């Protein structure tokens, strides 16, 4: 029996057996409590629902959702950023690529081949999109430490936030002066020079004005060579209550991310030394040496949001919002080696260079050969949102209705400059410009057919434009002329959803839903027409990805046990997949014809009174995910597995808690092996990681404090955290594996006053 299966079996038996000694005392926990009754009235912010309200709202969704309170991760190390926060959620495969906040997060196979950033899932803060207008997200820019809680909607269950993505949505709900008053400090340090200080201050100046201000820093030298990270983030929000029915909240955010990239390793390099930086593969080994060339991704971000909520009647609420984000990227890459003299050009008002130098001789740089150099980019993203909710009756039965929309716009300008022999220092290789535009309208209605059965019907309409323009101004040694590409396309669709939610008892629910999803490509995925082949159309060759999904599931409690189970199957057309080009660091993106995604997502837990030393107890939780993503009779790949994601993964934790505030317990995480290439020739190895944590919580007068320590990968196992994907991988010639962390120990303290 494999280590993965044997470990899962033992843990599952332990959870089941331990329940028979339990009593009827159960506390709230993300996996221990499913709220299915309306919350009591509380004095909460109109623009920021309380945690109790959010729990209840999630329980009314006929599909897979997860509630994560910040108490679960505030006093834990998060070197992997948001990936660490989501790692114990069923159905989410989240790992740091390089031991820092450069992460890879997959939900139901969305963007499965996207090896940097994320596509196919919408991230929001207080209902306003953090994901760019074109659908791309930089996970390293997300700051979950400022959230009071996080809502996870998997698949089409995110419709009420306008998401029709296959993966769903994650909404970070912010702290404010009303829900987090006082002074709160946390400091965590540990292996590889990791430290994370955070200071939060909040309060209410009078009955109407509240404030919350936070600073979070992260420094991490990481376990791999050339993977240092230095992050500073400042965040503030200010709320003003005009009267008991109107409130305005302004959010301000600034961050500076400096991140070294160690690159991926071949199988041979990984087994030789998993902690090295990528140090060269043929062909062009020098140009793939990430350490020597100091490959980095550095981002500076400024963002402002505003939301205004009006309670029109006790049953009707209107919320409007707007956001603006300005982001700058400085991204040294493995340089492109040109052996021809540089071209000269004259930039126009938008920075696009027109070739006017006879020295070019009609030469062209090919995108596949553009392996890098200094990539500079500036992006602006802005938008408006509106949302109206009604809680009332229809035909004498309970009815809840939500309708809303987003208007989003983004534009970016970028350049790539060479710095190596073969082209002058600072020679401009290319200029790029991209644009995205979205109009989205969504609506959802939940109608009580009976006292225990609800019907949910909804849909989303999207009208979107994607455009990516590249002007290549420096030739290569093997291409005959300089050229410009302009990929542009409009995408329009309606995605419906219908679901049933049956609640036979107060604490048990069953659901089923049917939905469609529709995802235009992100700008960096756009395929362009080649003017050398007389493909003069400006329309992108890349189609939107579409899917039809069915899902059934159940959640609830019985005694000390709780569960959350979802089973889904998706028929996907035109799935957007990318593959690593042979001998390159670039990828090629295409539409697959037909694929299928099937999965089982399980979260279960128990809160078991022990009564050994007072009211002590054992808190147990276990998650398991099975997923099978395959081609459907594809001309090139037949019925092969889509690579880059494991078929089985999960984790478990058992924490002993003493009434004095002391706690201690072990944890385990497991993943099966999985293919790393479309030809299904090589697999990343399976792994099992053991960890443990302990801590002590107490109060002194008005001062609360929490000291803690945590160890991860205590057996120092060599393992692969994530992979790139290739068409056909070789053990020695394909840099595709991203090794996971070694044995690490962390400790820290948090203080609340």
């Amino acid at each position: 029996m494999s280590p993965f299966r044997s470990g899962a079996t033992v843990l599952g038996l332990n959870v089941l057996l331990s329940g028979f000694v339990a009593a009827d005392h159960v506390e709230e926990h993300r996996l221990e409590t499913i709220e299915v009754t309306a919350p009591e009235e509380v004095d909460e912010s109109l623009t920021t629902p309380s945690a109790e309200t959010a729990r209840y709202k999630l329980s009314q969704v006929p599909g897979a959702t997860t509630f994560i309170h910040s108490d679960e991760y505030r006093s834990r190390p998060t070197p992997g950023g948001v990936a660490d926060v989501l790692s114990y959620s069923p159905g989410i495969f989240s790992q740091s690529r390089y031991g820092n906040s450069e992460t890879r997060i997959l939900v139901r196979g969305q963007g499965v081949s996207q090896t940097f950033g994320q596509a196919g899932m919408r991230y929001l803060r207080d209902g306003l999109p953090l994901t760019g207008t074109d659908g791309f997200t930089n996970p390293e820019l997300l700051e979950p430490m400022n959230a009071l809680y996080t809502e996870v909607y998997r698949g089409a269950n995110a419709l009420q936030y306008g998401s029709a993505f296959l993966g769903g949505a994650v909404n970070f709900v912010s702290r404010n002066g009303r829900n987090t008053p006082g002074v709160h400090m946390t400091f965590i340090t540990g292996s590889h020079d990791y430290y994370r200080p955070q200071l939060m201050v909040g309060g209410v100046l009078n009955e109407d004005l509240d404030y919350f201000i936070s600073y979070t820093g992260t420094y991490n030298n990481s376990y791999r060579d050339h993977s240092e990270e230095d992050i500073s983030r400042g965040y503030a929000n200010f709320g003003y209550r005009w009267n008991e029915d109107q409130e305005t909240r302004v959010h301000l955010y600034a961050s500076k991310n400096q991140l070294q990239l160690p690159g991926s390793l071949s199988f041979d390099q990984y087994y030789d030394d998993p902690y090295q930086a990528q140090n060269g593969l043929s062909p062009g080994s020098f140009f793939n040496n990430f350490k020597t060339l100091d490959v980095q991704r550095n981002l500076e971000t400024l963002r402002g949001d505003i939301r205004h909520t009006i309670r029109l009647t006790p049953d009707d609420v209107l919320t409007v919002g707007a956001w603006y984000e300005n982001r700058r990227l400085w991204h040294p890459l493995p340089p492109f080696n040109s052996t021809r003299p540089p071209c000269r050009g004259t930039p126009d008002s938008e920075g696009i260079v027109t070739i006017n130098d006879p020295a070019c001789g009609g030469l062209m740089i090919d995108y596949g050969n553009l392996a890098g150099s200094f990539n500079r980019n500036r992006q602006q993203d802005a938008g408006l949102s509106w949302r109206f909710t009604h809680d009332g009756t229809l035909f004498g039965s309970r009815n809840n209705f939500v309708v809303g929309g987003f208007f989003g716009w983004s534009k970016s300008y970028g350049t790539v400059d060479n710095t190596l022999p073969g082209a002058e220092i600072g020679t401009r290789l290319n200029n790029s410009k991209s644009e995205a535009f979205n109009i989205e309208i969504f609506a959802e209605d939940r109608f009580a057919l009976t006292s225990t059965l609800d019907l949910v019907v909804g849909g989303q309409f999207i009208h979107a434009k994607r455009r990516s323009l590249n002007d290549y101004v420096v030739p290569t040694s093997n291409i005959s002329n300089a050229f410009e590409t302009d990929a542009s396309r409009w995408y329009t669709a309606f995605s419906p959803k219908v679901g049933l939610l049956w609640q036979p008892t107060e604490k048990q629910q069953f659901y089923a839903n049917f939905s469609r999803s529709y995802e235009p490509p992100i700008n960096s995925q756009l395929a362009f027409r080649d003017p050398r082949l007389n493909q003069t159309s400006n329309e992108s060759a890349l189609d939107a990805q579409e899917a039809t999904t069915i899902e059934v599931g159940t959640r609830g409690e019985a005694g000390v046990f709780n569960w959350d189970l979802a089973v889904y199957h998706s028929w996907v057309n035109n799935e957007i997949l990318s593959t690593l080009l042979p001998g390159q660091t670039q990828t090629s993106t295409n539409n697959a014809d037909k694929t299928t995604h099937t999965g089982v997502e399980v979260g279960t837990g128990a809160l078991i009174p022990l009564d050994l030393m007072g009211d002590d107890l054992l808190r147990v939780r276990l998650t398991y995910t099975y997923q099978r993503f395959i081609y459907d009779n594809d001309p090139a790949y037949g019925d092969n597995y889509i690579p880059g994601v494991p078929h089985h993964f999960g984790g478990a934790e058992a924490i002993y808690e003493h009434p004095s505030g002391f706690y201690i317990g072990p944890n385990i995480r497991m993943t099966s092996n999985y293919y790393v290439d479309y030809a299904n020739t090589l697999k990343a190895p399976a792994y099992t990681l053991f960890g443990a944590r302990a801590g002590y919580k107490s109060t002194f007068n008005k001062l609360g404090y929490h000291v803690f320590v945590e160890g991860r990968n205590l057996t120092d196992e060599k393992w692969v955290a994530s992979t790139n994907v290739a068409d056909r991988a070789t053990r020695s010639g394909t840099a595709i594996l991203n090794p996971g962390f070694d044995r690490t120990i962390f400790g820290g303290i948090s203080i609340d006053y």
Side-chain angles (χ1 to χ4, degrees):
M1 181 178 290
S2 72
F4 175 84
R5 292 184 178 178
S6 62
T9 301
V10 171
L11 286 163
L13 289 174
N14 286 340
V15 172
L16 293 174
L17 291 174
S18 61
F20 292 104
V21 301
D24 58 357
H25 171 64
V26 178
E27 293 183 359
E28 285 191 352
H29 187 272
R30 169 168 59 99
L31 292 176
E32 280 73 43
T33 298
I34 306 296
E35 294 287 349
V36 292
T37 56
E40 298 180 358
E41 292 292 329
V42 295
D43 182 22
E44 63 185 51
S45 165
L46 291 177
T47 54
T48 308
S50 68
E52 292 75 15
T53 299
R55 287 180 186 269
Y56 174 73
K57 181 181 67 174
L58 288 171
S59 75
Q60 301 306 297
V61 176
T65 62
T66 303
F67 178 89
I68 307 173
H69 199 281
S70 59
D71 289 344
E72 296 188 28
Y73 58 82
R74 179 191 166 203
S75 298
R76 300 189 67 178
T78 55
V82 70
D84 288 331
V85 173
L86 299 176
S87 61
Y88 267 106
S89 299
I92 300 182
F93 179 72
S94 57
Q95 290 287 358
S96 168
R97 290 180 66 201
Y98 303 135
N100 45 39
S101 60
E102 166 70 17
T103 59
R104 188 164 186 250
I105 303 171
L106 298 175
V107 182
R108 299 191 173 183
Q110 105 304 333
V112 64
S113 63
Q114 182 75 23
T115 56
F116 66 95
Q118 189 170 5
M121 191 163 183
R122 173 168 286 170
Y123 290 87
L124 309 100
R125 182 177 62 210
D126 298 289
L128 295 178
L130 297 172
T131 295
T133 301
D134 73 335
F136 180 79
T137 302
N138 284 108
E140 62 267 33
L141 296 180
L142 303 175
E143 178 50 277
M145 295 302 154
N146 293 323
L148 179 66
Y149 59 85
T150 301
E151 303 169 320
V152 180
Y153 299 82
R154 302 194 293 278
N157 305 304
L159 179 61
Q160 61 180 288
Y161 283 118
S163 174
F165 292 146
L166 183 64
V170 174
N171 184 39
F172 300 101
V173 180
S174 300
R175 298 174 181 271
N176 58 53
R178 297 184 184 277
N179 60 37
T180 313
V183 179
H184 311 269
M185 295 177 287
T186 302
F187 182 81
I188 302 176
T189 186
S191 300
H192 307 296
D193 300 324
Y194 173 83
Y195 61 84
R196 192 195 78 204
Q198 184 182 33
L199 173 64
M200 300 183 292
V201 180
V204 180
L205 295 180
N206 53 50
E207 293 184 357
D208 301 322
L209 178 65
D210 68 85
Y211 67 94
F212 176 81
I213 302 172
S214 169
Y215 168 80
T216 305
T218 301
Y219 178 81
N220 183 13
N221 203 24
S222 195
Y223 54 90
R224 289 190 63 190
D225 197 9
H226 194 71
S227 57
E228 182 179 348
E229 175 181 55
D230 192 353
I231 299 175
S232 295
R233 295 181 175 129
Y235 168 75
N237 71 64
F238 304 90
Y240 187 77
R241 184 172 293 180
W242 302 90
N243 53 53
E244 64 179 9
D245 294 320
Q246 292 195 58
E247 182 177 288
T248 300
R249 187 163 301 277
V250 175
H251 303 258
L252 302 174
Y253 175 79
S255 72
K256 183 176 183 179
N257 293 52
Q258 296 176 292
L259 177 63
Q260 293 178 333
L261 304 181
S264 303
L265 302 180
S266 70
F267 278 78
D268 288 349
Q269 290 174 327
Y270 165 74
Y271 285 108
D272 176 58
D273 177 9
Y275 307 123
Q276 64 181 304
Q278 182 175 321
N279 62 4
L281 295 173
S282 295
S285 60
F286 174 76
F287 302 105
N288 290 323
N289 194 315
F290 276 52
K291 181 178 180 180
T292 301
L293 301 170
D294 196 20
V295 179
Q296 304 175 34
R297 181 181 295 117
N298 302 314
L299 289 158
E300 295 182 358
T301 304
L302 295 173
R303 180 183 173 98
D305 302 347
I306 185 170
R307 298 185 79 212
H308 183 73
T309 298
I310 307 172
R311 186 158 48 200
L312 302 172
T313 73
D315 299 325
D316 301 296
V317 177
L318 174 66
T319 299
V320 294
W323 70 92
Y324 173 78
E325 180 173 300
N326 189 309
R327 184 165 66 246
R328 293 177 180 270
L329 168 72
W330 185 71
H331 192 9
L333 290 164
F336 155 72
N337 182 23
S338 172
T339 60
R340 296 296 183 95
C343 295
R344 305 296 182 193
T346 302
D348 61 17
S349 60
E350 294 184 331
I352 303 301
V353 175
T354 302
I355 299 298
N356 58 12
D357 190 341
C360 290
L363 299 177
M364 178 185 76
I365 183 172
D366 178 75
Y367 182 76
N369 291 330
L370 185 59
S373 291
F374 286 102
N375 183 348
R376 295 177 175 87
N377 181 277
R378 177 185 177 186
Q379 178 169 326
Q380 299 179 79
D381 213 295
L384 303 171
S385 74
W386 63 279
R387 176 187 175 93
F388 172 79
T389 61
H390 171 76
D391 297 319
T393 60
L394 181 65
F395 306 123
S397 296
R398 173 174 43 84
N399 189 75
N400 308 96
F401 177 69
V402 57
V403 61
F406 293 103
F407 166 78
W409 165 89
S410 72
K411 178 176 287 190
S412 69
Y413 297 93
T415 62
V416 177
D417 300 309
N418 211 334
T419 59
L420 289 186
E424 291 182 358
I425 299 296
T427 298
R428 180 62 45 83
L429 296 181
N430 85 310
N431 298 275
S432 64
K433 180 175 72 173
S434 64
E435 298 175 331
F437 171 85
N438 286 352
I439 295 178
E440 302 174 50
I441 300 174
F442 60 90
E444 185 175 86
D445 186 82
R446 188 174 79 251
F447 177 74
L449 297 175
T450 70
S451 60
T452 60
L453 181 65
D454 287 0
L455 171 67
V456 178
V457 179
Q460 185 237 36
F461 170 81
I462 183 172
H463 183 57
K465 180 184 181 181
R466 304 287 184 266
R467 185 191 183 200
S468 180
L469 185 149
N470 284 276
D471 188 17
Y472 299 99
V473 299
V474 174
T476 67
S477 58
N478 59 345
I479 305 296
S480 59
N481 62 298
F483 76 116
E484 178 185 281
T485 66
D486 188 353
S488 178
R489 186 165 179 176
W490 287 92
Y491 298 89
T492 304
F494 175 75
S495 301
K497 171 191 173 181
V498 60
L500 291 171
L501 178 66
W502 179 45
Q503 186 173 321
T505 70
E506 182 180 354
K507 294 187 176 182
Q508 297 175 1
Q509 295 178 329
F510 300 85
Y511 57 80
N513 66 68
F514 167 90
S515 63
R516 292 275 295 166
S517 62
Y518 182 85
E519 301 173 27
I522 60 178
N523 279 331
S524 64
Q525 293 173 330
L526 287 182
F528 59 78
R529 300 299 182 100
D530 191 337
R532 296 172 297 167
L533 303 178
N534 296 320
Q535 296 174 329
T536 56
S537 170
N538 284 335
E539 184 175 352
S540 168
L542 204 60
D543 295 324
Q545 175 180 301
E546 304 179 53
T548 300
T549 301
I550 56 172
E551 177 186 1
V552 296
T554 177
R555 58 184 169 233
E557 298 177 16
V560 298
F561 289 106
N562 65 86
W563 67 88
D564 181 356
L565 168 67
V567 181
Y568 68 90
H569 182 83
S570 299
W571 294 268
V572 186
N573 293 324
N574 303 320
E575 182 166 2
I576 300 173
L577 295 172
S578 301
T579 181
L580 188 67
L581 297 172
Q584 300 284 346
T585 58
Q586 296 291 343
T587 58
S588 173
T589 304
N590 297 284
N591 290 114
D593 184 14
K594 294 181 180 180
T595 57
T596 61
H597 292 205
T598 304
V600 179
E601 303 164 344
V602 181
T604 185
L607 198 61
I608 305 165
L610 300 177
D611 297 325
L612 299 175
M613 292 181 286
D615 295 328
D616 57 345
L617 54 89
L618 183 68
R619 187 185 299 271
V620 181
R621 61 176 173 177
L622 182 148
T623 62
Y624 165 74
T625 300
Y626 164 76
Q627 49 194 18
R628 182 173 179 264
F629 309 148
I630 61 173
Y631 284 96
D632 185 4
N633 196 27
D634 187 80
Y637 301 112
D639 295 328
N640 281 6
Y641 285 97
I642 297 173
V645 63
H647 312 310
H648 307 269
F649 62 91
E653 183 176 63
I655 299 293
Y656 169 80
E657 298 182 2
H658 189 270
S660 66
F662 171 76
Y663 63 89
I664 188 171
N667 57 69
I668 186 173
R669 294 191 181 183
M670 302 161 288
T671 294
S672 66
N673 58 14
Y674 56 96
Y675 289 110
V676 299
D677 59 353
Y678 292 96
N680 287 180
T681 59
L682 290 177
K683 288 185 176 182
Y687 63 82
T688 301
L689 304 179
F690 295 94
R693 61 188 180 103
Y696 178 73
K697 305 176 184 178
S698 188
T699 58
F700 179 76
N701 291 331
K702 295 183 180 181
L703 183 71
Y705 62 92
H706 180 189
V707 293
F708 46 88
V709 63
E710 180 169 345
R712 299 182 178 181
N713 191 11
L714 295 178
T715 59
D716 204 20
E717 179 173 348
K718 182 186 297 184
W719 61 291
V720 173
S722 68
T723 73
N724 297 336
V725 294
D727 180 54
R728 181 179 295 273
T730 63
R731 297 187 65 86
S732 61
T734 310
I736 205 168
L737 303 181
N738 300 314
F741 53 82
D742 57 356
R743 182 189 296 114
T744 53
I745 305 295
F746 303 93
I749 183 171
S750 62
I751 298 174
D752 301 295
Y753 180 78

